[in-house]
């Protein structure tokens, strides 16, 4: 999935609000996101517990900070 910066996201949000449509509908229509990528991301989000990737990062960081240099 492509990364969207602040300005493109803000533009999509404004258009979605003005048109009473979802962010995803507008982003897909404008070619900034692909429907397949959105579905894949939604499936991953539904399977992973909240903070799963952040928990792994913090665990590794804490293990490394305890090592002697």
């Amino acid at each position: 999935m492509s990364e969207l910066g602040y300005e493109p996201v803000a533009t999509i949000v404004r258009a979605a609000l003005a048109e009473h449509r979802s962010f995803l509908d507008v982003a897909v229509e404008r070619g900034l996101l692909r429907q397949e990528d959105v579905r894949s991301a939604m499936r991953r989000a539904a399977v992973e517990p909240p903070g799963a990737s952040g928990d792994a990062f913090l665990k590794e960081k804490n293990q490394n900070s305890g090592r002697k240099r």
Side-chain angles (χ1 to χ4, degrees):
M1 183 176 323
S2 63
E3 299 277 332
L4 296 177
Y6 178 86
E7 286 301 323
V9 170
T11 301
I12 295 167
V13 168
R14 284 191 294 271
L17 288 171
E19 299 169 16
H20 302 284
R21 297 173 59 203
S22 76
F23 173 88
L24 294 176
D25 286 345
V26 175
V28 169
E29 179 183 89
R30 293 180 180 199
L32 298 172
L33 294 174
R34 294 182 324 155
Q35 192 70 35
E36 301 82 35
D37 293 336
V38 172
R39 286 189 186 125
S40 175
M42 298 297 263
R43 279 193 297 273
R44 283 193 312 272
V47 172
E48 291 180 4
S53 57
D55 289 343
F57 171 78
L58 291 175
K59 182 178 179 181
E60 181 179 328
K61 182 178 176 184
N62 289 336
Q63 287 175 344
N64 290 336
S65 66
R67 294 182 183 167
K68 291 184 179 180
R69 295 178 187 197

